Amino acid sequence: MLPPILEVYVVWHPEDREGEQIAAWLLEHFRGVPYSGLVGGAVEVYARSIPWTQDSDAPRPLPCQVPLPYGLPHARVTAIVPILGVRLARALAQDSSDWRDYLDSLHTAVEDGEETIRAFPVRLQSTVDSTYYGEIGNLQALHPASCEDPAVLCRELSQAVAQLVGDPFGERLRVFISHTKRHAVEEQPDYVDELVGRVRNTIAHTHLQAFFDAADLQPGTDWEEELRSNAGSSALLAIRTDLYASREWCQREFLIAKRASMPIVTLNGLYRTEERGSFLMDHVPAVGYRQANDGSRQASVEEALNLLVDAALARALWGFQRETLEVLGVSWTPLHAPEPVTLLPWLLENRQRAIEEGPLLIMHPDPPLGPEEAKALIELLEVAGVQDVIDVVTPRTYMSRTTR
């Protein structure tokens, strides 16, 4: 267990019943696959609703309001999700209620506290005027659909937190759209253009920022350097159509992002056949582009973008854990399990150190490599002559050794 990284607090009046459902959605989401590979305790979701004491109707204070006992550390990042509903507004209008003092205290903690404490309100559809909620009500709320669509809620909050962390994405999460402009003979002439256009249009209706080379490269810029820079500092969405894997620049963009430990998701939009794949482009999450009808096509794009946002936040959280793991003696903490295209550059730089100072420990998020994958990696280490001085583990496999 490392110090907590992200804590999400969902705060709602107990009679605003939607708050319980929203809290359940977020709890299920942050316990899901994208975050399961981090060291235990990286993400926690807490509810604040029922009264904490007999003489007050307000819930238990957050650590940013009242410090934890015994000097326990608070989370590196705190995301507060106040649910603004009618029942909360009614409580705030009553002099006998402590909810106004509670929300004012939360707002003070956000305003006067660290930069990594933020509130992201959700306004229920029946919400009254925002002035009823004090200063909390004046904060920019999550997308209106967040109160009824768990996918929108989780994407909006995950993106906001990833941007709050900042590095390497800055103030707005940027999606690098990697695609080929070429069409295979078997593809319809406008198939690739329509697919890429759908992705761009979907991003335009979110808070994400797209980087699309044809539109975003300014005249007079070094286009090759711009592509390299953006591929190595953005979340990469690879639109894998029939010719994608064979195109030189698609391979290059993918490899740059992979070696920079950028989050990558493949939208698998093969129209008919792929002449050949590419070993550079495997080992990343993929979403199938379901073409049955317009609704399924749109849902596929949204699913890929949602998965990419989660991958971006998981990368940011792993970056916090990486700091502690390296202090504890872990030599390399890649975002993804090592593979030849990522392990080879590291070996070129660290092989001699491993021989002279070994053993060196490599730790990546769970899940662990499969037996055949691990065998292939060991063979590569044998060729390099360092199979006995380099150990590849995940948090769970490492802990299973130390607790035997």
Side-chain angles (χ1 to χ4, degrees):
M1 294 292 292
L2 299 181
I5 304 299
L6 169 62
E7 290 182 346
V8 179
Y9 292 89
V10 189
V11 181
W12 75 95
H13 190 279
E15 294 182 16
D16 286 321
R17 302 298 183 185
E18 298 93 333
E20 184 175 357
Q21 179 63 76
I22 290 171
W25 285 340
L26 291 175
L27 179 63
E28 180 180 6
H29 178 74
F30 285 111
R31 286 184 175 176
V33 173
Y35 305 97
S36 62
L38 303 173
V39 181
V43 185
E44 297 291 348
V45 178
Y46 299 99
R48 292 291 188 270
S49 180
I50 61 175
W52 179 238
T53 62
Q54 292 182 346
D55 57 351
S56 173
D57 62 342
R60 179 180 180 177
L62 276 59
C64 60
Q65 295 171 290
V66 177
L68 294 170
Y70 310 113
L72 293 173
H74 61 79
R76 298 283 295 270
V77 181
T78 300
I80 307 167
V81 185
I83 309 301
L84 307 183
V86 172
R87 298 295 182 178
L88 177 59
R90 291 179 180 176
L92 295 173
Q94 299 173 2
D95 293 334
S96 60
S97 174
D98 293 315
W99 269 99
R100 181 165 293 278
D101 288 340
Y102 187 86
L103 289 187
D104 286 345
S105 175
L106 278 183
H107 185 264
T108 299
V110 171
E111 289 294 302
D112 299 340
E114 303 174 7
E115 293 183 356
T116 52
I117 300 175
R118 288 290 181 270
F120 307 98
V122 171
R123 295 175 61 86
L124 301 182
Q125 291 184 339
S126 57
T127 304
V128 297
D129 188 86
S130 61
T131 58
Y132 281 88
Y133 305 101
E135 296 297 329
I136 284 285
N138 294 328
L139 298 177
Q140 178 65 43
L142 298 178
H143 191 282
S146 297
C147 63
E148 57 185 8
D149 189 334
V152 174
L153 168 72
C154 297
R155 183 190 67 228
E156 287 272 303
L157 183 59
S158 297
Q159 178 186 339
V161 175
Q163 292 170 173
L164 175 61
V165 173
D167 181 44
F169 308 112
E171 296 181 354
R172 193 172 181 188
L173 181 54
R174 183 174 59 248
V175 176
F176 187 106
I177 305 174
S178 178
H179 67 100
T180 177
K181 301 181 181 66
R182 298 289 184 95
H183 302 266
V185 175
E186 295 83 1
E187 292 176 325
Q188 292 181 0
D190 55 355
Y191 172 73
V192 175
D193 293 339
E194 287 181 352
L195 174 50
V196 174
R198 182 183 292 274
V199 170
R200 294 198 69 196
N201 184 64
T202 303
I203 292 176
H205 287 83
T206 70
H207 290 122
L208 296 166
Q209 178 183 9
F211 179 86
F212 180 81
D213 55 359
D216 296 317
L217 286 175
Q218 298 299 318
T221 59
D222 184 334
W223 65 270
E224 183 172 345
E225 180 56 35
E226 282 290 309
L227 288 178
R228 287 183 179 276
S229 175
N230 281 279
S233 60
S234 308
L236 188 135
L237 180 65
I239 303 178
R240 191 162 179 168
T241 49
D242 291 11
L243 293 180
Y244 180 84
S246 64
R247 307 309 299 169
E248 177 184 353
W249 264 102
C250 294
Q251 293 180 4
R252 193 171 301 176
E253 291 163 358
F254 208 104
L255 182 60
I256 289 170
K258 183 178 280 190
R259 285 183 169 173
S261 282
M262 289 295 108
I264 304 172
V265 169
T266 294
L267 180 59
N268 197 337
L270 296 183
Y271 184 78
R272 177 175 288 183
T273 59
E274 188 176 57
E275 182 178 337
R276 69 173 181 85
S278 171
F279 65 86
L280 301 177
M281 297 178 178
D282 290 328
H283 220 221
V284 299
V287 174
Y289 186 57
R290 300 179 293 276
Q291 303 179 45
N293 52 53
D294 188 73
S296 63
R297 290 191 288 271
Q298 183 62 30
S300 301
V301 172
E302 293 178 1
E303 183 180 345
L305 289 173
N306 293 348
L307 186 58
L308 189 62
V309 169
D310 282 323
L313 178 53
R315 181 196 187 281
L317 300 178
W318 181 248
F320 278 128
Q321 294 194 322
R322 178 185 293 126
E323 297 173 7
T324 303
L325 292 172
E326 289 176 352
V327 170
L328 296 175
V330 179
S331 299
W332 185 32
T333 52
L335 178 65
H336 308 289
E339 54 179 301
V341 297
T342 57
L343 181 59
L344 282 172
W346 186 86
L347 278 175
L348 289 173
E349 184 176 345
N350 293 276
R351 176 181 176 277
Q352 193 59 38
R353 181 165 71 96
I355 294 173
E356 296 175 357
E357 304 175 13
L360 300 185
L361 188 65
I362 297 173
M363 182 180 291
H364 64 89
D366 282 285
L369 292 165
E372 294 304 316
E373 293 173 318
K375 181 180 178 181
L377 210 60
I378 291 173
E379 290 172 347
L380 177 60
L381 296 176
E382 288 178 351
V383 171
V386 291
Q387 71 275 16
D388 296 326
V389 290
I390 292 181
D391 196 7
V392 181
V393 298
T394 69
R396 289 193 182 94
T397 56
Y398 180 74
M399 286 302 298
S400 68
R401 297 178 186 178
T402 59
T403 56
R404 287 176 182 170

Coordinates of all heavy atoms in Angstrom, one line a residue, residues 187 190-199 202 237-241 266-271 286-304:
E187 N -12.1 -0.9 -49.9 CA -12.9 0.1 -49.1 C -13.7 1.0 -50.0 O -13.3 1.3 -51.1 CB -12.0 0.9 -48.3 CG -11.3 0.2 -47.1 CD -10.3 1.1 -46.4 OE1 -9.7 1.9 -47.0 OE2 -10.2 0.9 -45.2
D190 N -15.3 6.8 -49.5 CA -15.4 7.7 -48.5 C -15.4 7.1 -47.1 O -15.7 7.8 -46.1 CB -16.7 8.6 -48.7 CG -17.9 7.7 -48.8 OD1 -17.8 6.5 -48.8 OD2 -19.0 8.3 -48.9
Y191 N -15.1 5.8 -47.0 CA -15.2 5.1 -45.7 C -14.3 5.7 -44.7 O -14.7 6.0 -43.5 CB -15.0 3.6 -45.9 CG -14.9 2.8 -44.6 CD1 -16.0 2.5 -43.9 CD2 -13.6 2.4 -44.1 CE1 -16.0 1.8 -42.7 CE2 -13.6 1.7 -42.9 CZ -14.7 1.4 -42.2 OH -14.6 0.7 -41.0
V192 N -13.0 5.8 -45.0 CA -12.0 6.3 -44.0 C -12.4 7.8 -43.6 O -12.4 8.1 -42.5 CB -10.6 6.2 -44.6 CG1 -9.6 6.9 -43.7 CG2 -10.2 4.8 -44.9
D193 N -12.7 8.6 -44.6 CA -13.1 10.0 -44.3 C -14.3 10.1 -43.4 O -14.3 10.9 -42.5 CB -13.3 10.7 -45.6 CG -12.1 10.9 -46.5 OD1 -11.0 10.8 -45.9 OD2 -12.2 11.1 -47.7
E194 N -15.3 9.3 -43.6 CA -16.5 9.3 -42.8 C -16.1 8.9 -41.4 O -16.6 9.5 -40.4 CB -17.6 8.4 -43.4 CG -18.2 9.0 -44.6 CD -19.3 8.1 -45.1 OE1 -19.4 6.9 -44.6 OE2 -20.0 8.5 -46.1
L195 N -15.3 7.8 -41.2 CA -14.9 7.3 -39.9 C -14.1 8.4 -39.1 O -14.4 8.7 -38.0 CB -14.1 6.0 -40.0 CG -13.5 5.4 -38.7 CD1 -14.6 5.4 -37.6 CD2 -12.9 4.1 -39.0
V196 N -13.1 9.0 -39.8 CA -12.3 10.0 -39.1 C -13.2 11.2 -38.8 O -13.0 11.8 -37.7 CB -11.1 10.4 -40.0 CG1 -10.4 11.6 -39.4 CG2 -10.2 9.2 -40.2
G197 N -14.1 11.6 -39.7 CA -15.0 12.7 -39.5 C -15.9 12.5 -38.3 O -16.1 13.4 -37.5
R198 N -16.3 11.2 -38.1 CA -17.2 10.9 -37.0 C -16.4 11.1 -35.7 O -16.9 11.6 -34.7 CB -17.7 9.5 -37.1 CG -18.7 9.1 -35.9 CD -19.1 7.7 -36.1 NE -20.0 7.5 -37.2 CZ -21.3 7.7 -37.2 NH1 -21.9 8.1 -36.1 NH2 -22.1 7.5 -38.3
V199 N -15.2 10.6 -35.7 CA -14.3 10.8 -34.5 C -14.1 12.2 -34.2 O -14.3 12.7 -33.0 CB -13.0 10.1 -34.7 CG1 -12.0 10.4 -33.6 CG2 -13.2 8.6 -34.8
T202 N -17.3 13.8 -32.8 CA -17.6 13.4 -31.4 C -16.7 14.1 -30.4 O -17.2 14.6 -29.4 CB -17.4 11.9 -31.3 OG1 -18.2 11.2 -32.3 CG2 -17.8 11.4 -29.9
L237 N -5.4 8.1 -30.2 CA -6.4 7.2 -30.7 C -6.0 6.8 -32.1 O -6.0 7.6 -33.0 CB -7.8 8.0 -30.7 CG -8.9 7.2 -31.3 CD1 -9.3 6.0 -30.3 CD2 -10.2 8.0 -31.5
A238 N -5.8 5.5 -32.3 CA -5.4 4.9 -33.6 C -6.6 4.4 -34.3 O -7.2 3.5 -33.8 CB -4.3 3.8 -33.4
I239 N -6.9 5.0 -35.4 CA -8.0 4.6 -36.2 C -7.5 3.6 -37.2 O -6.9 3.9 -38.3 CB -8.7 5.8 -37.0 CG1 -9.2 6.8 -35.9 CG2 -9.9 5.3 -37.8 CD1 -9.8 8.0 -36.5
R240 N -7.6 2.3 -36.9 CA -7.0 1.2 -37.7 C -7.9 0.7 -38.8 O -8.7 -0.2 -38.6 CB -6.6 0.1 -36.7 CG -5.7 -1.0 -37.4 CD -5.0 -1.8 -36.3 NE -4.2 -2.8 -36.9 CZ -3.2 -3.5 -36.3 NH1 -3.1 -3.3 -35.0 NH2 -2.5 -4.4 -36.9
T241 N -7.8 1.4 -40.0 CA -8.5 0.9 -41.2 C -7.6 0.0 -42.0 O -6.5 -0.3 -41.5 CB -8.9 2.1 -42.0 OG1 -7.8 3.0 -42.1 CG2 -10.1 2.9 -41.3
T266 N -6.9 1.6 -29.7 CA -7.1 1.4 -31.1 C -8.6 1.3 -31.3 O -9.3 0.5 -30.7 CB -6.4 0.1 -31.5 OG1 -5.0 0.3 -31.5 CG2 -6.8 -0.2 -33.0
L267 N -9.1 2.1 -32.3 CA -10.4 1.9 -32.8 C -10.3 1.0 -34.1 O -9.8 1.5 -35.1 CB -11.1 3.2 -33.1 CG -12.5 3.2 -33.7 CD1 -13.5 2.5 -32.7 CD2 -13.0 4.6 -34.0
N268 N -10.7 -0.2 -34.0 CA -10.5 -1.2 -35.0 C -11.6 -1.1 -36.1 O -12.6 -1.7 -35.9 CB -10.4 -2.6 -34.4 CG -9.8 -3.6 -35.4 OD1 -9.8 -3.4 -36.6 ND2 -9.3 -4.7 -34.9
G269 N -11.3 -0.3 -37.1 CA -12.3 0.0 -38.1 C -12.0 -0.7 -39.5 O -12.2 -0.1 -40.5
L270 N -11.5 -1.9 -39.4 CA -11.2 -2.6 -40.7 C -12.5 -2.8 -41.5 O -13.5 -3.2 -41.0 CB -10.6 -4.0 -40.5 CG -9.3 -4.1 -39.8 CD1 -8.8 -5.5 -39.6 CD2 -8.2 -3.3 -40.5
Y271 N -12.4 -2.4 -42.8 CA -13.6 -2.5 -43.6 C -13.7 -3.9 -44.2 O -14.8 -4.5 -44.2 CB -13.4 -1.5 -44.8 CG -14.6 -1.5 -45.7 CD1 -15.8 -0.8 -45.4 CD2 -14.6 -2.2 -46.9 CE1 -16.9 -0.8 -46.2 CE2 -15.7 -2.1 -47.8 CZ -16.9 -1.5 -47.4 OH -18.0 -1.4 -48.2
A286 N -8.2 -2.2 -27.4 CA -8.8 -2.0 -28.7 C -10.4 -2.0 -28.6 O -10.9 -2.8 -27.8 CB -8.4 -3.0 -29.7
V287 N -11.0 -1.2 -29.4 CA -12.5 -1.2 -29.5 C -12.9 -1.5 -30.9 O -12.4 -0.8 -31.8 CB -13.1 0.1 -29.0 CG1 -14.6 0.2 -29.2 CG2 -12.7 0.4 -27.5
G288 N -13.8 -2.4 -31.1 CA -14.3 -2.7 -32.5 C -15.3 -1.6 -32.9 O -16.1 -1.2 -32.2
Y289 N -15.1 -1.2 -34.2 CA -16.0 -0.3 -34.8 C -17.2 -1.0 -35.3 O -17.2 -1.6 -36.4 CB -15.3 0.5 -35.9 CG -16.1 1.6 -36.5 CD1 -16.6 2.7 -35.7 CD2 -16.4 1.7 -37.9 CE1 -17.3 3.7 -36.2 CE2 -17.1 2.7 -38.4 CZ -17.6 3.7 -37.6 OH -18.3 4.8 -38.1
R290 N -18.3 -1.0 -34.6 CA -19.5 -1.8 -34.9 C -20.3 -1.0 -36.0 O -20.8 0.1 -35.7 CB -20.3 -2.1 -33.7 CG -19.5 -2.9 -32.6 CD -20.3 -3.2 -31.4 NE -20.6 -1.9 -30.6 CZ -19.8 -1.4 -29.7 NH1 -18.5 -1.9 -29.5 NH2 -20.1 -0.3 -29.1
Q291 N -20.5 -1.6 -37.1 CA -21.1 -0.9 -38.3 C -22.5 -1.3 -38.6 O -23.0 -1.0 -39.7 CB -20.2 -1.1 -39.5 CG -18.7 -0.7 -39.3 CD -17.9 -1.0 -40.5 OE1 -18.3 -0.7 -41.6 NE2 -16.7 -1.6 -40.3
A292 N -23.2 -1.9 -37.7 CA -24.6 -2.3 -38.0 C -25.5 -1.2 -38.3 O -26.3 -1.3 -39.2 CB -25.2 -3.1 -36.8
N293 N -25.4 -0.1 -37.6 CA -26.2 1.1 -37.9 C -25.5 2.3 -37.3 O -24.5 2.2 -36.7 CB -27.6 0.9 -37.3 CG -27.6 0.5 -35.8 OD1 -26.9 1.2 -35.0 ND2 -28.2 -0.6 -35.5
D294 N -26.2 3.5 -37.5 CA -25.5 4.7 -37.1 C -25.3 4.8 -35.6 O -24.3 5.2 -35.1 CB -26.4 5.9 -37.6 CG -25.7 7.2 -37.3 OD1 -24.7 7.6 -38.0 OD2 -26.1 7.9 -36.3
G295 N -26.3 4.2 -34.9 CA -26.2 4.2 -33.4 C -25.0 3.4 -32.9 O -24.3 3.8 -32.0
S296 N -24.8 2.2 -33.5 CA -23.7 1.4 -33.0 C -22.4 2.0 -33.4 O -21.4 1.8 -32.7 CB -23.9 0.0 -33.6 OG -23.8 0.0 -35.0
R297 N -22.3 2.6 -34.6 CA -21.1 3.3 -35.0 C -20.7 4.4 -34.0 O -19.5 4.5 -33.6 CB -21.2 3.8 -36.4 CG -21.2 2.7 -37.5 CD -21.1 3.3 -38.9 NE -22.3 4.0 -39.3 CZ -23.3 3.4 -39.9 NH1 -23.3 2.1 -40.2 NH2 -24.4 4.1 -40.3
Q298 N -21.7 5.2 -33.7 CA -21.4 6.3 -32.7 C -21.1 5.8 -31.4 O -20.1 6.3 -30.7 CB -22.7 7.2 -32.6 CG -22.5 8.4 -31.7 CD -21.4 9.4 -32.3 OE1 -21.2 9.5 -33.5 NE2 -20.8 10.1 -31.4
A299 N -21.7 4.7 -30.9 CA -21.4 4.1 -29.6 C -20.0 3.6 -29.6 O -19.3 3.7 -28.6 CB -22.4 3.0 -29.3
S300 N -19.5 3.1 -30.7 CA -18.2 2.5 -30.8 C -17.1 3.6 -30.6 O -16.2 3.5 -29.8 CB -17.9 1.8 -32.1 OG -18.8 0.8 -32.3
V301 N -17.3 4.8 -31.3 CA -16.4 5.9 -31.1 C -16.4 6.4 -29.7 O -15.4 6.7 -29.1 CB -16.8 7.0 -32.1 CG1 -16.0 8.3 -31.9 CG2 -16.6 6.5 -33.6
E302 N -17.6 6.6 -29.1 CA -17.7 7.1 -27.7 C -17.0 6.1 -26.8 O -16.3 6.5 -25.8 CB -19.1 7.3 -27.4 CG -19.8 8.5 -28.2 CD -21.2 8.7 -27.8 OE1 -21.7 7.9 -26.9 OE2 -21.9 9.5 -28.4
E303 N -17.2 4.8 -27.0 CA -16.5 3.8 -26.1 C -15.0 3.9 -26.2 O -14.3 3.9 -25.2 CB -17.0 2.4 -26.5 CG -16.5 1.3 -25.6 CD -17.0 0.0 -26.0 OE1 -17.9 -0.1 -26.8 OE2 -16.4 -1.0 -25.5
A304 N -14.5 4.1 -27.4 CA -13.0 4.2 -27.6 C -12.5 5.5 -26.9 O -11.5 5.5 -26.2 CB -12.7 4.3 -29.0

